[in-house]
Structure formats: structure tokens, C-alpha cells
Amino acid sequence: MENFEQDLSQTPDLKYASTAQVVKSGILGFFVGLAVIVPGVSGSAVAIIFKLYEKLLYAIGNLFRRFKLCLLFLLPILVGAILGFVLGFFGVQQLLGVLPFATVALFAGLMLGAYPAVINEVKGQKPTSWRIALFILGVVVPLGLSAVSIYASNGTNSLENLQWYHYILFLVLGYGMALTQLIPGLSATALLMMVGYFSPIMDSVSLTYWQSNPMVFLVYVCLAIGFLLGLFTLSKGISLLLSRFRAPTFYCICGLSLGSLITMFYNPEILVTYSNMGFSDTMDFVDFFLGLALFAAGVAGAYFLVRIEMRKDKASVQ
């Protein structure tokens, strides 16, 4: 028990030593923002790749206890998240409308190329039957959520004429979205699709809709409150798991990350793309073959960057 308390007392170094570290945190935030828009993209998986995952959990969970230190660490991530969400909403969403397969393939290639950085977290840890089971469970969970969103969804729900209990549901959804941002492999997009609120929420962001249905702002507020509550409570819980059961937790995280990668090609949005891709239009050929090229480029580019990062870590240890 004393060792456990001692582990919890250890504070990660949250101070930025260089501009490059600030930029890296901003890029992490960018992917966190994109994760709300692009199915399968996991901001927390990127945090592991950049070796910022445990720092991020600590900073969120201890924001009020060590406000200045944690806020300064989180600030570049927050700015990046806002930019990622805005670009994702106005840019990536447009690309998904024109070249859906190619856009998803690029992000999937980036995630696959960076996956060795996630696997590196369990390097040297014996693959026991319990840990392998956790890895398999990790793969199955995002695939299961995606399958539910495809086959058991209630379809698209409306944000109009809501009852009081709907707002409680949005609080719970916000809490669930926080969970998806903290655990690699889970997707906020898939969660919202599963309950039929992804498209309604995305479509509600317009002046015309706000004027006709101002009560939608209460939906946003409920989602935000649930999300913030989830961030602060869940981050501490995951930090506890990592401090006490680091190897088993990361085995599960490796599975979740791999499952998330697979769901990028297996979710409601991309299945619509497959059904519409009859190759009767030139754009279908462009989308498909450009997607293959971008996937390969994403894998190569991300893997190259991961190798550089691994060499730096090895050199610093020596």
C-alpha cells in the first residue's frame, strides 16, 4: 500500500523545455479535435505515440489541485483541439463529402504507421494469458460498438421538441464522450452514431438552425457539462490503473488502438461510402486509388516519424 501511495505522489514533468514540445502538444490537441469528427481517430492513441498520455491524464485530473502547472501544460492541447475541431468540421467534413474513402484512408494510414509506438509501451512485458485476453478484449470493444452503431442503432433522432429526460441523456452522452477521448480505441463519433445523434448535432451547427431552435444550446451545455465531469473523474481513475497495473492496462490499450484502426473502415459512415462506390463515376476511381496511395503514404510517413522519436528516446537513455 505504501508503494502504491508513493507511485501516486510522483508528479510527471509538465513543464515545456522547448518550442518543439509545445508544438507537439498542439498537434496532439489537433487530433483530439479531429477525433470528434472523423470516425475511428483516437486522440488518446496519438497521446501515447507522442508519450504525452500519462502527462495528459495527470494534468486533467489535477487541474484544480495544481492549477497553474496543469493549465500551462494543457493550453497548447486546448488550442490545438479547437483548431482540429474547426478544421475537421469545415474542412475534413467537406473532404469526406467529396473523397470519403481517400480521407479516411489517409488518417488510417497515419494511425497504422504510428502503431509501433503504442506497441512499444509493452515491450519487454511477458504476454501472459491474462494480458493476451485483455488485448483481445481491447480489439473487440471498438468493433462491437461500431457493429451496434451499424446494426442496432435507432436511426437518426431529432433535437427538437425534447423532453426533460432527454437533457439527462445528453449529460450521460457527454460523460461517455469524455471516456472515448481518454481511452484509446474508443470513438466519440461512433458513440453518437450508435444513439442516433451524430448527424443531428453536426447539422445543428448553423445560424439558421439556432434561430429556429434556440433550445439546442441547452443540448450543447448538457453535453459540455457531462464531458467536463467525465474528463476530471475518469482521468484520475485511468491514472490509478496505470500506476498499479501498467502492463495489463497497456495490453488492453494496444488492443483498443488496433480495434479503433479497424473501425475506421467499418462504421456507418464508411459503409455508406462502400455502398455508393459503384465505379460508374470517375470520382469513384479517383477516391479509391487515391485512398490506396494516401494510406501507403500515411503509413510510411508516420512510421518514419515514430522511428525518429524512438531513436531520440534510445539516445537520451544512453
Side-chain angles (χ1 to χ4, degrees):
M1 185 67 182
E2 289 181 3
N3 291 335
F4 181 50
E5 295 291 341
Q6 196 172 25
D7 287 340
L8 293 180
S9 65
Q10 293 178 353
T11 305
D13 184 10
L14 299 183
K15 294 182 179 179
Y16 291 112
S18 65
T19 304
Q21 291 182 0
V22 176
V23 172
K24 184 186 289 187
S25 290
I27 295 172
L28 165 60
F30 183 81
F31 277 96
V32 170
L34 276 182
V36 182
I37 306 296
V38 182
V41 173
S42 174
S44 48
V46 177
I48 293 173
I49 293 164
F50 286 171
K51 300 193 180 299
L52 293 172
Y53 184 55
E54 291 170 83
K55 290 184 178 182
L56 179 63
L57 291 175
Y58 180 89
I60 294 173
N62 293 274
L63 180 60
F64 296 109
R65 192 167 67 87
R66 307 191 65 185
F67 183 75
K68 184 178 179 180
L69 178 67
C70 294
L71 178 64
L72 290 176
F73 174 78
L74 291 171
L75 195 57
I77 299 174
L78 179 60
V79 172
I82 294 171
L83 289 174
F85 179 79
V86 171
L87 180 62
F89 188 83
F90 293 104
V92 176
Q93 279 289 82
Q94 296 297 319
L95 283 174
L96 285 170
V98 179
L99 297 168
F101 180 77
T103 305
V104 170
L106 173 61
F107 285 110
L110 291 170
M111 296 297 289
L112 179 59
Y115 188 65
V118 182
I119 292 292
N120 193 54
E121 293 294 333
V122 295
K123 187 177 180 180
Q125 300 293 334
K126 186 179 178 181
T128 63
S129 56
W130 168 239
R131 293 173 180 177
I132 293 173
L134 286 172
F135 175 83
I136 295 172
L137 177 65
V139 174
V140 169
V141 166
L143 288 174
L145 288 174
S146 188
V148 170
S149 67
I150 293 169
Y151 301 111
S153 173
N154 294 324
T156 299
N157 294 312
S158 174
L159 296 178
E160 300 176 18
N161 302 316
L162 297 174
Q163 303 298 318
W164 63 269
Y165 53 82
H166 285 109
Y167 297 104
I168 297 176
L169 171 63
F170 290 123
L171 284 170
V172 175
L173 276 178
Y175 197 91
M177 289 174 66
L179 179 67
T180 65
Q181 296 307 296
L182 294 175
I183 299 182
L186 301 186
S187 168
T189 307
L191 175 64
L192 291 174
M193 285 178 178
M194 184 173 63
V195 295
Y197 279 111
F198 178 70
S199 294
I201 290 174
M202 292 295 105
D203 294 341
S204 73
V205 184
S206 72
L207 288 174
T208 304
Y209 192 93
W210 293 339
Q211 289 172 352
S212 63
N213 185 25
M215 286 298 290
V216 75
F217 284 101
L218 187 54
V219 173
Y220 300 157
V221 170
C222 290
L223 287 170
I225 292 174
F227 185 80
L228 292 174
L229 285 173
L231 283 183
F232 294 131
T233 57
L234 292 168
S235 58
K236 286 191 174 183
I238 298 170
S239 292
L240 284 170
L241 280 174
L242 287 172
S243 66
R244 187 122 191 229
F245 308 106
R246 182 180 178 82
T249 301
F250 265 111
Y251 262 90
C252 187
I253 285 173
C254 287
L256 287 165
S257 298
L258 181 59
S260 174
L261 174 62
I262 297 171
T263 61
M264 295 188 75
F265 295 104
Y266 176 68
N267 61 71
E269 298 283 329
I270 200 67
L271 287 182
V272 172
T273 298
Y274 297 153
S275 63
N276 294 334
M277 192 178 282
F279 295 102
S280 57
D281 192 332
T282 304
M283 285 304 296
D284 290 339
F285 285 97
V286 172
D287 189 19
F288 180 73
F289 289 106
L290 180 61
L292 295 179
L294 289 176
F295 179 80
V299 171
Y303 183 71
F304 176 73
L305 293 175
V306 166
R307 293 295 298 174
I308 292 176
E309 197 71 23
M310 286 180 174
R311 287 196 195 102
K312 286 182 180 178
D313 290 339
K314 191 174 181 180
S316 63
V317 171
Q318 292 174 346

